[in-house]
């Protein structure tokens, strides 16, 4: 506590009223939260009655680790540090009966959601177009994030939204029949439960007697409702946020939730954390000047005592190929001159498509790199399909796997059949697979539907028995051939090239599973053991970012939030990239400015902007303009090396750096 600044100490010790902490970038907000958890426990609030919520598993793990260093393990027993969605899932699992669900709720991911919507559209009344399925999925997600129920959507929908509102209703009905929820339901359903059940509300308020929320500016309306319900009129909470770093409007974030607190909690206290412990003064001056162009409910200005620092450089390039080569050359040269490690450097961009040329330039120069937030191999639809088949072969009670592959490839088992099957399984409190074999199902479904379900289940049982033998991996290729999966991929993929990539991924998965089994001891692993190990891959993926090692980081500006680096390169800093063309067309300039602000405030020592005068778009070379945000930065703090000839001495230094790097590689 003694090392906290006065504002941080006040934030930690204020427990008798609702508290909003406006924490600027690099102002030590995570430390304030963890110190406050320790303070609450030392002041007599049992850890089991404290909950701290954030938005990512990584942030929750970091917070948990910091608290563990402050307190003895026995004092933190029962402390809840989790994401919003993990809390919502816990509430659903404990209170499923009140919501009419059975135990073992299935969680649908985005691909499961899309598959169900496509099925409903294909079997619907023709009011919804299959090619707009992704738009419908986003609209349904928006409704849930805005706390609009299916009934409200149907009542309030205008002409354009009427068909989508009907699809929303059908979608919710089918989810309930499958005993399933999607990601957005993990917040919406607990809010509905707590609104409708006074007993459940009292129970959870007694469980969570003090609530802390990190990154509060990223909450949506439904999450705000959850916070209000759990904390009640007394408002025993501390929320920490920064409206200048709200960059997730596309997934429902409402920075206005900061202002709503003042209206809903009259006793709210506001504390500003403005001292930055990360960046030089010049970097903060530029960031403050930029973000001042946005309107603010709460005014704040970052400052630092780390020195004024170097000017911010602006590099111009003729095209994107030269941009990538020059940035990599800059990194090699800077590392040679100043020492340090590759992990001190980050290349940040607006869209994932910008990474390819930088990857190529880094590889050509043998510079190690790490892409943060890239798609995991195990997130590809075809990989998840095959793993779901294997999961069902080893566990016929796996409802999530059953629903994913029952119509992949198609078996003429429509959503109406599956809805009735789900309702029957719910009523009997049994798995979907078991329900297919019960005589009572014939009273719920036509004979043809029952026969198709039973034919599928019989095939699963036969395949399961075959794979349980001594050569499980030989049977894997056989079942893929039997279901005609490769042919189905070719028929349902946009191009032949993309289909072949998917087929290659399936082959790679089978080879990986074989290697996984072979890495174990001499005893033969069962298929169930292999699949159980494969399911842990998401944990390995989550830990991957912590094991980046000494590598240059490449990532989008969205992925960079919460991170910091000594040296940052903001590339593609030009009109129609940052700010992005889509945002300009939809009037979201303020969020694009916040995105640029987030990028600048990732830098500790140096910040370099880079733009191209020409860039290839849709197969044609187009002229580009520097981002309007450059004009909003303090001109006296910018250095434009391209506007005057490179100093001969500096040119010589660059040559020496590249030569030294080459010698190091050869040795």
């Amino acid at each position: 506590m003694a090392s906290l600044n006065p504002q941080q100490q006040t934030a930690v010790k204020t427990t008798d009223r609702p508290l909003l902490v406006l924490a600027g970038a690099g102002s030590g907000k995570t430390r304030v939260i963890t110190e406050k958890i320790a303070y609450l426990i030392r002041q007599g609030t049992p850890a089991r009655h404290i909950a701290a919520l954030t938005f990512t598993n990584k942030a929750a793990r970091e917070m948990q680790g910091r608290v563990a260093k402050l307190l003895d393990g026995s004092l933190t027993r029962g402390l809840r540090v989790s994401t919003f969605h993990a809390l919502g899932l816990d509430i659903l699992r404990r209170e499923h009966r009140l919501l009419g669900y059975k135990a073992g709720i299935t969680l649908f991911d985005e691909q499961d959601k899309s598959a169900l919507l496509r099925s409903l559209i294909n079997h619907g009344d023709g009011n919804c177009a299959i090619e707009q399925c992704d738009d419908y999925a986003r609209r349904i997600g928006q409704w849930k994030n805005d706390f609009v129920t299916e009934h409200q959507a149907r009542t309030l929908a205008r002409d354009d939204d009427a068909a989508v509102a009907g699809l929303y209703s059908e979608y919710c009905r089918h989810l309930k029949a499958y005993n399933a929820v999607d990601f957005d339901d993990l917040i919406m359903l607990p809010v509905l439960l707590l609104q409708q059940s006074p007993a459940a509300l009292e129970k959870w308020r007694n469980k969570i007697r003090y609530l802390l929320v990190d990154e509060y500016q990223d909450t949506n309306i439904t999450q705000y409702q959850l916070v209000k319900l759990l904390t009640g009129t007394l408002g025993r909470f501390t929320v920490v946020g920064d409206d200048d770093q709200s960059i997730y409007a596309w997934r429902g974030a409402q920075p206005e939730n900061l202002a709503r607190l003042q209206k809903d909690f009259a006793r709210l206290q506001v504390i500003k954390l403005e001292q930055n412990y990360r960046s030089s003064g010049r970097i903060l001056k530029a960031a403050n000047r930029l973000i001042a162009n946005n309107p603010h409910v709460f005014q704040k200005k970052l400052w630092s005592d780390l020195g004024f620092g170097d000017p911010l450089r602006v590099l111009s390039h003729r095209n994107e190929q030269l941009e990538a080569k020059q940035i990599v050359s800059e990194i090699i040269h800077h590392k040679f001159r100043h020492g340090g490690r590759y992990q001190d450097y980050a290349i940040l961009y607006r869209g994932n498509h910008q990474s390819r040329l930088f990857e190529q330039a880094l590889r050509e120069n043998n510079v190690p790199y790490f892409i943060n937030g890239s798609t995991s191999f195990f997130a590809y639809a075809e990989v998840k399909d095959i793993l779901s088949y294997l999961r069902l072969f080893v566990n016929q009670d796996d409802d999530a796997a059953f629903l994913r592959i029952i119509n992949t490839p198609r078996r003429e088992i429509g959503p109406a059949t599956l809805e009735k099957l789900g309702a029957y399984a719910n009523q009997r409190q049994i798995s979907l697979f078991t329900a297919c074999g019960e005589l009572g199902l014939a009273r719920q479904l036509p004979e043809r539907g029952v026969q198709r379900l039973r034919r599928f289940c019989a095939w699963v049982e036969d395949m399961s028995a075959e794979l349980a033998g001594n050569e499980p991996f030989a049977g894997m290729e056989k079942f893929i051939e039997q279901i005609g999966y490769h042919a189905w991929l070719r028929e349902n993929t946009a191009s032949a090239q993309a289909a072949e990539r998917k087929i290659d991924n399936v082959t790679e998965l089978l080879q990986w599973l074989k290697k996984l089994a072979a890495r174990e001891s001499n005893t033969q692993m069962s298929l169930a053991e292999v699949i159980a190990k494969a399911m842990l891959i998401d944990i390995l993926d989550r830990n991957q970012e912590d094991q980046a090692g000494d590598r240059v980081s490449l990532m989008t500006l969205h992925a960079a939030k919460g991170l910091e680096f000594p040296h940052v390169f903001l590339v593609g800093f030009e009109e129609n990239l940052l700010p992005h063309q889509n945002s300009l067309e939809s009037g979201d300039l303020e969020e694009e400015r916040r995105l640029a602000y987030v990028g600048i405030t990732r830098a500790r020592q140096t910040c370099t902007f880079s733009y191209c005068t020409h860039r290839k778009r849709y197969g044609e070379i187009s002229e580009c303009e520097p981002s309007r945000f450059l004009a909003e930065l303090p001109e006296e703090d910018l250095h434009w090396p391209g506007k005057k000839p490179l100093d001969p001495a500096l040119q010589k230094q660059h040559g020496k750096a590249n030569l030294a790097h080459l010698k190091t590689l050869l040795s």
Side-chain angles (χ1 to χ4, degrees):
M1 287 284 286
S3 61
L4 298 178
N5 66 40
Q7 291 75 25
Q8 290 173 329
Q9 288 196 29
T10 304
V12 168
K13 293 179 178 178
T14 301
T15 59
D16 61 342
R17 63 185 59 214
L19 178 64
L20 165 60
V21 180
L22 285 169
S27 62
K29 67 180 178 63
T30 305
R31 187 174 178 201
V32 166
I33 293 174
T34 52
E35 290 280 1
K36 184 150 196 172
I37 291 170
Y39 181 79
L40 286 164
I41 292 171
R42 292 186 187 117
Q43 294 298 308
T45 303
R48 68 181 181 277
H49 292 311
I50 299 171
L53 303 180
T54 186
F55 283 85
T56 67
N57 289 322
K58 182 181 178 183
R61 288 196 303 273
E62 180 187 351
M63 204 178 292
Q64 189 97 48
R66 290 201 193 187
V67 173
K69 291 177 182 177
L70 294 174
L71 292 170
D72 182 80
S74 61
L75 293 174
T76 60
R77 193 171 295 120
L79 174 68
R80 179 190 295 276
V81 181
S82 73
T83 63
F84 267 97
H85 293 88
L87 171 62
L89 183 59
D90 189 29
I91 293 174
L92 288 183
R93 283 176 172 161
R94 292 173 187 245
E95 314 294 346
H96 60 87
R97 287 188 182 87
L98 292 174
L99 285 163
Y101 287 82
K102 65 180 183 181
I105 292 173
T106 296
L107 180 60
F108 268 37
D109 63 15
E110 286 302 309
Q111 291 174 356
D112 299 327
K113 177 180 179 179
S114 179
L116 175 54
L117 287 172
R118 286 177 183 278
S119 180
L120 292 171
I121 293 167
N122 282 328
H123 292 81
D125 53 16
N127 288 329
C128 292
I130 193 71
E131 59 270 16
Q132 294 184 48
C133 183
D134 291 343
D135 293 332
Y136 301 150
R138 276 192 293 273
R139 186 73 185 102
I140 290 169
Q142 281 176 349
W143 271 323
K144 291 186 179 185
N145 288 333
D146 291 341
F147 198 54
V148 177
T149 65
E150 48 167 314
H151 175 72
Q152 290 168 330
R154 285 201 315 275
T155 304
L156 301 173
R158 298 175 182 173
D159 294 342
D160 293 345
D161 266 351
V164 192
L167 181 63
Y168 178 22
S169 184
E170 283 283 297
Y171 172 72
C172 291
R173 204 176 79 236
H174 279 75
L175 277 182
K176 186 72 176 288
Y178 299 162
N179 201 55
V181 297
D182 66 20
F183 195 65
D184 300 314
D185 285 328
L186 295 180
I187 310 298
M188 187 168 192
L189 290 177
V191 171
L192 289 171
L193 168 73
L194 297 178
Q195 283 184 343
Q196 296 164 6
S197 171
L201 180 60
E202 184 180 2
K203 173 183 172 182
W204 282 93
R205 280 182 178 172
N206 283 331
K207 276 180 179 290
I208 300 175
R209 296 179 189 172
Y210 201 93
L211 182 68
L212 302 101
V213 181
D214 190 17
E215 304 288 6
Y216 185 72
Q217 77 281 348
D218 292 336
T219 56
N220 58 42
I221 291 174
T222 312
Q223 287 161 335
Y224 180 60
Q225 294 294 330
L226 183 62
V227 170
K228 276 180 64 179
L229 284 163
L230 288 173
T231 58
T233 53
L234 289 177
R236 288 181 55 80
F237 65 74
T238 294
V239 300
V240 183
D242 180 6
D243 51 344
D244 290 333
Q245 295 188 75
S246 182
I247 56 174
Y248 295 113
W250 49 275
R251 68 182 190 199
Q254 294 265 340
E256 297 85 356
N257 284 345
L258 293 162
R260 284 192 181 99
L261 289 171
Q262 287 187 313
K263 296 177 182 176
D264 292 338
F265 297 92
R267 298 172 60 246
L268 181 76
Q269 181 171 346
V270 179
I271 295 174
K272 299 178 185 179
L273 303 183
E274 297 173 295
Q275 182 175 0
N276 176 285
Y277 294 92
R278 174 190 299 161
S279 305
S280 69
R282 203 187 299 257
I283 289 170
L284 296 180
K285 178 184 173 185
N288 286 333
R289 184 79 62 87
L290 174 72
I291 206 64
N293 290 280
N294 275 4
H296 288 81
V297 176
F298 304 100
Q299 297 292 334
K300 66 179 184 307
K301 190 173 183 180
L302 295 178
W303 61 275
S304 168
D305 58 9
L306 298 176
F308 197 50
D310 297 331
L312 285 70
R313 296 195 307 149
V314 185
L315 305 180
S316 170
H317 310 278
R318 199 161 60 248
N319 56 48
E320 61 265 46
Q321 287 83 10
L322 291 174
E323 178 187 43
K325 289 178 181 178
Q326 180 64 25
I327 295 301
V328 172
S329 174
E330 291 279 336
I331 290 172
I332 294 169
H333 168 67
H334 191 277
K335 182 176 180 294
F336 170 72
R337 280 191 67 197
H338 301 280
R341 301 160 296 177
Y342 283 120
Q343 67 193 54
D344 295 339
Y345 301 88
I347 300 173
L348 309 183
Y349 36 78
R350 179 64 174 84
N352 278 310
H353 67 280
Q354 293 172 256
S355 72
R356 186 179 59 84
L357 291 173
F358 292 96
E359 291 180 68
Q360 183 179 323
L362 289 162
R363 283 197 302 268
E364 286 173 357
N365 287 276
N366 288 307
V367 175
Y369 66 90
F370 169 71
I371 301 181
N372 188 319
S374 57
T375 303
S376 162
F377 174 72
F378 290 85
Y380 289 118
E382 61 274 14
V383 173
K384 294 177 80 170
D385 287 344
I386 301 304
L387 280 175
S388 292
Y389 270 103
L390 297 175
R391 283 164 53 192
L392 197 61
F393 292 151
V394 301
N395 175 20
Q396 276 87 62
D397 289 334
D398 190 332
D399 282 353
F402 181 97
L403 286 169
R404 182 173 185 90
I405 52 90
I406 184 66
N407 262 325
T408 306
R410 293 189 188 92
R411 296 184 175 87
E412 296 183 13
I413 300 171
T417 298
L418 291 174
E419 182 188 6
K420 290 175 182 175
L421 172 66
Y424 178 79
N426 264 338
Q427 181 186 349
R428 297 275 295 119
Q429 295 288 296
I430 55 178
S431 71
L432 296 170
F433 191 95
T434 303
C436 291
E438 290 209 342
L439 293 173
L441 184 63
R443 291 195 290 271
Q444 310 292 326
L445 285 173
E447 178 64 20
R448 185 186 300 175
V450 173
Q451 289 306 317
R452 284 174 179 158
L453 287 169
R454 288 179 179 166
R455 196 180 307 126
F456 169 72
C457 291
W459 175 79
V460 169
E461 288 174 333
D462 290 344
M463 205 70 240
S464 176
E466 187 170 332
L467 291 174
N470 293 327
E471 295 293 336
F473 295 101
M476 287 188 192
E477 293 174 356
K478 179 181 175 182
F479 97 74
I480 291 172
E481 184 179 343
Q482 282 183 357
I483 64 175
Y485 190 71
H486 290 173
W488 183 78
L489 284 176
R490 291 188 178 101
E491 290 170 11
N492 291 275
T493 305
S495 68
Q497 188 179 12
E500 292 308 314
R501 279 200 303 270
K502 290 175 180 285
I503 291 168
D504 289 344
N505 284 341
V506 172
T507 303
E508 186 178 338
L509 171 66
L510 298 186
Q511 291 171 346
W512 181 81
L513 290 171
K514 289 178 186 178
K515 288 178 184 175
L516 184 64
R519 280 204 295 267
E520 299 301 316
S521 58
N522 295 328
T523 57
Q524 176 66 46
M525 290 179 71
S526 69
L527 181 61
E529 291 172 315
V530 174
I531 297 306
K533 285 188 173 295
M535 288 300 100
L536 293 175
I537 197 68
D538 67 316
I539 297 173
L540 300 178
D541 282 347
R542 284 205 312 265
N543 291 336
Q544 186 182 15
E545 352 181 310
D546 300 326
Q547 301 164 0
D550 188 22
R551 298 188 272 177
V552 173
S553 291
L554 276 72
M555 68 189 78
T556 64
L557 288 160
H558 284 98
K561 188 164 171 289
L563 303 178
E564 60 181 72
F565 304 90
H567 312 289
V568 166
F569 292 83
L570 295 172
V571 300
F573 212 78
E574 58 209 51
E575 288 293 295
N576 297 319
L577 265 181
L578 187 68
H580 196 276
Q581 184 175 352
N582 293 344
S583 298
L584 290 174
E585 291 171 357
S586 59
D588 292 334
L589 182 62
E590 289 173 16
E591 176 145 337
E592 292 292 297
R593 188 176 283 111
R594 291 196 291 267
L595 204 51
Y597 173 85
V598 165
I600 294 169
T601 54
R602 298 313 93 198
R604 285 161 52 190
Q605 297 169 23
T606 70
C607 182
T608 301
F609 303 97
S610 168
Y611 71 91
C612 297
T613 58
H614 296 80
R615 187 178 291 271
K616 196 171 187 178
R617 288 197 184 113
Y618 311 113
E620 295 183 1
I621 304 297
S622 303
E623 285 192 24
C624 305
E625 291 290 328
S627 171
R628 69 188 68 191
F629 297 146
L630 287 172
E632 297 178 357
L633 301 176
E635 187 178 350
E636 66 273 16
D637 294 306
L638 298 182
H639 174 51
W640 302 67
K643 287 193 172 180
K644 58 183 180 180
L646 194 65
D647 180 81
L650 198 58
Q651 230 171 5
K652 195 173 180 181
Q653 285 181 346
H654 270 264
K656 282 184 177 179
N658 289 328
L659 183 61
H661 183 66
L662 183 61
K663 285 180 179 177
T664 304
L665 295 175
L666 292 173
S667 64

